[in-house]
Amino acid sequence: MGAEKITSKIKEDAKLKADSIVADAQAKYEATMAEAKEEAEKRKQAILRKGEKEAEMAENRILADARLSSKKKLLEERENTIQMTLEKLEEDLMKLPQKDEYKDILTGMVIKGVLSIGGGELTLEMNKNDFELIGDETLWKLEKEVEEKLNIVTVLKKGEPIDIIGGCIVKSADGTKVSDNSLESTFKRNLDSVRAKIADLLF
């Protein structure tokens, strides 16, 4: 084999080797790039998912805060409405002694108080105006009505006028038994049930 042929053969072998190296390098490059792209896509999707999750969490927080704020305002409005209604009822209560039917209401409260104590010798406490409504004749009728119901002798004595809106306080002679049927005490005793009824009616 001549020198030219040998040189040609070397060049050919070198070219083949170079081509092989280049092809191998290209293949490795393409594989690396494919892996890099795949990894980049995974990271991108992870970031997007994280972003979506954070956005969803942020939205949920905003909605939860809005619901809480709305519920709080609703409860405040409800409580304000109940309170306004109670204040109106209390105002009406203070005006009750001015109404025509008040005497019947008052005598009913006296009877209730006397019955709760059980009759006997009792002292009746009222404000000055109510004492003027309940004369001796009315007291006598009340005594007889209670005696028929309890089958016990009952005596009602007028005590000193007291500072109440209306209604009455009935006490046993020895002071051990007291039935407070003043308008304000009756209102306070029934406040919880009144609130519940208002809430049922309004809401």
Side-chain angles (χ1 to χ4, degrees):
M1 183 180 296
E4 291 182 2
K5 287 185 177 180
I6 292 173
T7 300
S8 178
K9 177 66 175 173
I10 292 172
K11 287 182 178 179
E12 186 179 339
D13 289 344
K15 186 176 183 305
L16 290 172
K17 186 68 175 175
D19 288 343
S20 176
I21 291 171
V22 170
D24 186 51
Q26 182 66 30
K28 287 181 179 179
Y29 169 79
E30 290 177 357
T32 300
M33 288 303 296
E35 288 179 3
K37 287 180 179 179
E38 184 178 353
E39 181 64 24
E41 183 63 26
K42 287 180 180 179
R43 291 187 181 183
K44 175 185 174 183
Q45 293 301 323
I47 291 170
L48 288 175
R49 283 196 297 273
K50 183 179 179 182
E52 288 174 359
K53 187 174 182 180
E54 288 179 350
E56 184 179 355
M57 289 174 63
E59 181 182 9
N60 288 339
R61 281 196 299 269
I62 291 170
L63 291 174
D65 289 344
R67 281 193 294 269
L68 185 63
S69 177
S70 178
K71 186 175 181 180
K72 185 178 179 181
K73 287 180 180 178
L74 182 63
L75 290 174
E76 287 176 354
E77 287 298 322
R78 174 175 172 165
E79 181 58 30
N80 288 339
T81 301
I82 291 174
Q83 192 58 40
M84 287 173 62
T85 306
L86 286 173
E87 289 172 3
K88 179 65 171 62
L89 287 174
E90 194 168 8
E91 287 177 10
D92 292 342
L93 185 70
M94 291 181 180
K95 295 176 183 176
L96 186 60
Q98 303 169 16
K99 296 185 178 180
D100 294 337
E101 65 269 24
Y102 176 65
K103 183 177 180 179
D104 291 336
I105 294 173
L106 180 59
T107 55
M109 297 179 89
V110 172
I111 292 173
K112 182 179 178 181
V114 173
L115 291 176
S116 68
I117 289 179
E121 187 177 343
L122 306 173
T123 300
L124 193 60
E125 295 181 348
M126 300 179 180
N127 64 37
K128 184 178 179 181
N129 292 332
D130 287 353
F131 269 139
E132 293 175 1
L133 282 177
I134 305 295
D136 292 337
E137 184 178 350
T138 301
L139 277 182
W140 182 80
K141 289 180 180 178
L142 291 176
E143 289 172 349
K144 295 306 176 186
E145 184 176 342
V146 171
E147 286 177 357
E148 290 177 2
K149 292 182 178 180
L150 295 176
N151 196 28
I152 184 173
V153 175
T154 298
V155 178
L156 297 177
K157 296 180 179 179
K158 289 184 178 182
E160 293 296 320
I162 56 175
D163 185 20
I164 56 176
I165 297 170
C168 64
I169 298 176
V170 182
K171 295 181 178 180
S172 60
D174 58 7
T176 58
K177 297 179 181 179
V178 179
S179 177
D180 187 350
N181 285 326
S182 61
L183 292 179
E184 42 266 76
S185 293
T186 301
F187 182 77
K188 288 177 182 177
R189 278 198 303 271
N190 293 283
L191 191 58
D192 289 342
S193 61
V194 171
R195 284 179 64 90
K197 287 179 181 178
I198 291 172
D200 288 340
L201 289 171
L202 296 179
F203 307 103

